[in-house]
Amino acid sequence: MGVHVEVMDLVAQMKAAEQAFVLATVVRTVSVTAAKAGAKAIIRPDGSIVAGWIGGGCARGAVLKAAREALADGEPRMVSVQPENLLAELGVKPGESKDGVRFASNMCPSKGTMDIFVEPVLPHPSLVILGASPVAVSLAGQARQLGYHVTLAAPASDLVAAPDAHVVVDGFEPGALNDARRFVVVSTQGKGDEAALKQALAIDAAYHAFVGSKRKMAALHDKLVAAGLEPAAIDRIKAPAGLDLGAITPEEIAMSILAEITVERRRGQRSVNPVARS
């Protein structure tokens, strides 16, 4: 099996495991370069190259920097490593960008040129639903269609039917979660509200919401404070969950919650690293 095939096999495995990484591909070379067009490498968020090869130190620093930036904003980019005399002819300096290309200086004796496409591959955003209410079940199904990795955690006895989720957990402890941007919704409909909210607040997420009225959340707020939870953390829980669309049915309420999550997701996509802390 060739190196290229092995790299692409690992790409498929890491995608299936919902892991964040960068796929760097050499798309063009001029003159003498260590790697040739078509060479690929997989780069983890910590900067380690776990498979493949794209050349030595002449290109590595520029590619690793671009990989970090790509993982931070989710956008691919092109890096061109060239000797300084060619950069001068183009009127650019190392580190500058022009026409969508980031330029870096090749200080190696080879004085070759390499263009590398840096493509971030990020886990699907993670939606964690605590509860087995009709809204929770509908939310799980709709979220999967929009590309979320869905974990539904609720007592098995509360589930009337198997929900359309990637992971279903018996109880309110969701267990290990993917390293992705997370959104948490508590939709317990009075069955274990306090326990579910405690678990929700233990999850590092960009969004926490409760499917219930402000009055109900206020009553639960006092109970959660009495249980030792930080008031500031509790205050970050959005209640009621969802945009005010006049929703009535469970399906409509679920849609309004997804609309609100979408607003939060897109608003923070460029300013917040999507690879959430564990």
Side-chain angles (χ1 to χ4, degrees):
M1 182 180 291
V3 174
H4 173 75
V5 176
E6 291 174 354
V7 168
M8 297 314 294
D9 285 347
L10 185 55
V11 165
Q13 294 171 21
M14 294 178 73
K15 280 185 175 182
E18 294 285 341
Q19 297 179 12
F21 63 95
V22 160
L23 178 63
T25 304
V26 178
V27 296
R28 185 180 75 104
T29 63
V30 179
S31 189
V32 179
T33 57
K36 300 304 178 184
K40 297 178 181 293
I42 297 173
I43 305 170
R44 290 190 184 276
D46 64 3
S48 61
I49 297 178
V50 295
W53 191 67
I54 50 170
C58 303
R60 183 184 296 263
V63 173
L64 292 183
K65 180 179 180 181
R68 289 192 297 269
E69 295 171 350
L71 287 170
D73 63 20
E75 297 292 332
R77 57 252 293 140
M78 184 73 76
V79 177
S80 184
V81 182
Q82 303 189 26
E84 289 192 347
N85 64 306
L86 294 183
L87 295 181
E89 291 178 11
L90 293 172
V92 295
K93 297 179 180 179
E96 292 184 346
S97 296
K98 182 178 180 181
D99 298 329
V101 178
R102 170 74 63 83
F103 292 92
S105 176
N106 184 353
M107 303 298 292
C108 292
S110 66
K111 300 299 182 181
T113 292
M114 289 177 58
D115 293 343
I116 306 103
F117 184 63
V118 176
E119 178 186 7
V121 182
L122 301 172
H124 292 88
S126 177
L127 175 61
V128 183
I129 304 168
L130 305 180
S133 70
V135 171
V137 173
S138 180
L139 180 60
Q142 292 185 39
R144 284 201 65 168
Q145 294 181 11
L146 292 181
Y148 289 84
H149 184 278
V150 180
T151 298
L152 189 145
S157 58
D158 291 347
L159 288 168
V160 176
D164 186 12
H166 294 90
V167 179
V168 179
V169 180
D170 184 5
F172 293 127
E173 296 186 21
L177 297 170
N178 297 328
D179 287 334
R181 197 147 187 254
R182 298 175 188 146
F183 305 86
V184 181
V185 177
V186 175
S187 184
T188 39
Q189 207 170 40
K191 294 184 178 181
D193 292 342
E194 189 176 343
L197 285 166
K198 287 181 181 178
Q199 288 297 327
L201 289 171
I203 300 171
D204 182 16
Y207 172 91
H208 292 83
F210 176 67
V211 181
S213 67
K214 288 184 179 180
R215 179 177 297 180
K216 186 174 185 179
M217 187 64 222
L220 288 166
H221 183 286
D222 295 338
K223 292 181 180 180
L224 293 170
V225 171
L229 277 74
E230 290 291 332
I234 303 169
D235 290 340
R236 288 196 293 270
I237 299 174
K238 171 71 165 50
L243 299 178
D244 185 4
L245 305 179
I248 297 176
T249 67
E251 294 77 15
E252 291 173 346
I253 295 171
M255 179 182 67
S256 75
I257 296 169
L258 275 174
E260 186 170 64
I261 289 174
T262 299
V263 171
E264 179 63 31
R265 176 187 172 189
R266 298 307 184 190
R267 176 188 296 144
Q269 195 168 36
R270 294 182 179 276
S271 59
V272 179
N273 190 329
V275 183
R277 291 178 286 115
S278 299

